[in-house]
Amino acid sequence: MKGFKIIFLIVIISLSQSVAAQYFGENKVCYEKFDFTISSSPHFDIYNYLDNDKLLLSLNKQMENWYIRHYSIFGENTNNNAIIIYNNKPDFKQTNVISGLIGVGTGGVTEGFRKRIIMPLFTSNKEVNHVIGHELVHVFQYNMMKESDSLSLKSLQNTPLWMVEGLAEYMSLGSTHNKTAMWMRDAVYHNDIPSIKDMTRRPNEYFPYRYGHAFWAFLTGMYGDRIIQPFFYNTACYGMKKSVKNLFHISLDSLSCLWQSSIEEGFGKYIINNSPPVGKQPFNKNRLENINILPVLSPNGKKLAFLSNKNVISIDVLIADLESGEISNELTKPVTKAHIDDYNFIESAGSWSPDGKKYVMTSI
């Protein structure tokens, strides 16, 4: 019997070692050690290693301003919130505050249990302000779940992703934004305006940030911002179907029809003759290519720079000749051994020199 226990223990240890080995090579690479200090304001503890007192003061003001705005909606007091600021995106990608790799599209993260915001600084102050406002909405959402006697963090399972992220976009961007408008016009043109159930069940098909933003703009347009807290709270408590019935005294399907009609009427008028201009796709001849993004036309209009996975295993900066339709140059070959993790194509497009002989773009 004792021998059996020993063998069993060895098997368990061996299994655990083999499982751990499967994740080898997927760890975050930490290039630097950051010496964080704490700067405190009435509602925040800002962990940072900035060597710029003026910028730090500006960040403090932005955070406090967002706190006042969000407090007026949620009415929940969340003191001593921790915000961990990295100086740039490459530093942010090394964070060990949260697990998991951080992609180029991640602007910031809010950790629910400790209500900590982790984010980098951006080249644009406007984007920094937006990310602070967006992530702080999540802090208030998490605080509502944790502080209420009727709710817990598990209650967020009742709340669709589009409702959570869409509210953060609405409260940080306002009721209108060019990206949301672009998505809604496209939905109208293709006769593909999702119902509330569609957005809830198919988040991969209907982008929660954009469709959620549009929905909250629609709802607050009818009831005002005073509806935000009770609608979010009731949905977390009872689910959306019952929440809609209790607050609006109509069915979920009826509210869904009103939402779809508002998008049709609001954005359909911008589609002239129901026929927007459509261009051709000249550089997607290989069926394996699914990334051809960030096109930038040269000053003389004869060349086009863009990002593509034409080489399958990597994303490269290509230069195409528009007259011949052929790729004339691959700019990334000379820098393949450089320390480049990603091309910063979400925050910034590239740019040609005035004479069209040089091309510049940001990387991280």
Side-chain angles (χ1 to χ4, degrees):
M1 190 67 179
K2 291 182 179 179
F4 171 78
K5 290 182 178 179
I6 293 174
I7 292 173
F8 179 76
L9 179 62
I10 292 173
V11 170
I12 292 296
I13 293 174
S14 299
L15 286 173
S16 64
Q17 289 175 339
S18 64
V19 170
Q22 295 175 10
Y23 294 92
F24 178 78
E26 296 184 6
N27 304 39
K28 291 180 186 176
V29 178
C30 296
Y31 303 100
E32 302 175 54
K33 182 179 179 181
F34 307 108
D35 297 322
F36 284 95
T37 59
I38 303 176
S39 173
S40 296
S41 65
H43 299 100
F44 299 97
D45 291 325
I46 305 174
Y47 294 76
N48 70 94
Y49 51 98
L50 291 171
D51 189 19
N52 188 327
D53 292 339
K54 186 177 180 180
L55 177 57
L56 186 58
L57 179 62
S58 175
L59 291 172
N60 269 285
K61 289 181 178 178
Q62 286 176 305
M63 293 172 188
E64 290 296 333
N65 286 338
W66 278 120
Y67 179 89
I68 293 171
R69 295 185 199 179
H70 297 346
Y71 178 80
S72 68
I73 298 296
F74 289 98
E76 295 289 341
N77 195 347
T78 55
N79 293 320
N80 303 116
N81 300 288
I83 297 188
I84 302 164
I85 300 284
Y86 287 87
N87 285 7
N88 49 58
K89 195 65 174 284
D91 289 359
F92 172 55
K93 294 180 72 175
Q94 300 174 56
T95 185
N96 57 11
V97 179
I98 55 173
S99 61
L101 300 178
I102 295 175
V104 66
T106 303
V109 180
T110 302
E111 182 194 32
F113 286 103
R114 298 185 182 180
K115 298 183 294 185
R116 296 186 293 185
I117 295 174
I118 308 98
M119 60 172 287
L121 295 178
F122 300 89
T123 53
S124 165
N125 184 61
K126 181 179 180 181
E127 185 60 21
V128 171
N129 191 52
H130 166 229
V131 172
I132 292 173
H134 179 105
E135 297 301 330
L136 191 54
V137 172
H138 293 322
V139 171
F140 276 87
Q141 289 170 339
Y142 284 129
N143 187 73
M144 182 190 296
M145 300 297 116
K146 295 179 69 175
E147 299 300 323
S148 171
D149 294 335
S150 305
L151 299 173
S152 68
L153 286 179
K154 290 184 178 180
S155 301
L156 281 174
Q157 296 175 358
N158 292 332
T159 313
L161 183 61
W162 63 262
M163 195 173 184
V164 175
E165 296 295 350
L167 180 57
E169 287 291 88
Y170 171 77
M171 293 184 65
S172 58
L173 292 174
S175 59
T176 60
H177 192 262
N178 57 348
K179 289 183 180 178
T180 297
M182 179 179 66
W183 282 71
M184 296 306 107
R185 288 196 300 268
D186 185 76
V188 172
Y189 175 70
H190 289 97
N191 195 28
D192 188 24
I193 305 172
S195 65
I196 293 176
K197 291 179 181 178
D198 290 334
M199 293 190 294
T200 302
R201 296 171 181 174
R202 293 145 63 185
N204 291 333
E205 186 174 345
Y206 299 107
F207 191 34
Y209 287 71
R210 303 277 67 85
Y211 285 96
H213 179 203
F215 180 88
W216 278 106
F218 150 74
L219 192 69
T220 55
M222 290 199 303
Y223 296 98
D225 285 356
R226 65 183 182 277
I227 198 62
I228 291 175
Q229 194 275 346
F231 186 43
F232 195 90
Y233 180 89
N234 276 267
T235 301
C237 273
Y238 312 115
M240 180 161 294
K241 187 175 181 179
K242 192 171 183 179
S243 175
V244 170
K245 190 70 175 178
N246 291 343
L247 290 174
F248 310 124
H249 308 292
I250 59 175
S251 67
L252 181 60
D253 289 339
S254 296
L255 181 64
S256 186
C257 289
L258 290 173
W259 139 256
Q260 290 174 305
S261 297
S262 73
I263 297 300
E264 176 73 39
E265 295 172 6
F267 294 95
K269 59 187 177 184
Y270 296 107
I271 301 176
I272 302 174
N273 298 325
N274 201 32
S275 181
V278 178
K280 62 181 180 179
Q281 192 172 22
F283 305 111
N284 193 21
K285 299 176 182 179
N286 186 336
R287 66 180 182 84
L288 294 177
E289 295 177 38
N290 55 23
I291 296 179
N292 285 289
I293 57 176
L294 201 71
V296 182
L297 195 64
S298 65
N300 62 10
K302 294 182 178 181
K303 295 180 180 180
L304 187 73
F306 64 103
L307 291 182
S308 174
N309 66 335
K310 182 177 184 295
N311 295 325
V312 182
I313 61 174
S314 63
I315 297 178
D316 300 296
V317 183
L318 305 181
I319 302 295
D321 187 301
L322 291 176
E323 292 180 351
S324 65
E326 300 295 329
I327 305 299
S328 60
N329 201 357
E330 184 178 319
L331 297 185
T332 43
K333 279 186 177 180
V335 295
T336 50
K337 294 183 180 180
H339 297 292
I340 295 177
D341 293 327
D342 278 307
Y343 296 107
N344 202 6
F345 57 85
I346 292 180
E347 296 169 26
S348 174
S351 180
W352 292 86
S353 61
D355 59 7
K357 294 181 178 180
K358 296 180 180 180
Y359 186 74
V360 63
M361 70 177 300
T362 58
S363 66
I364 57 178

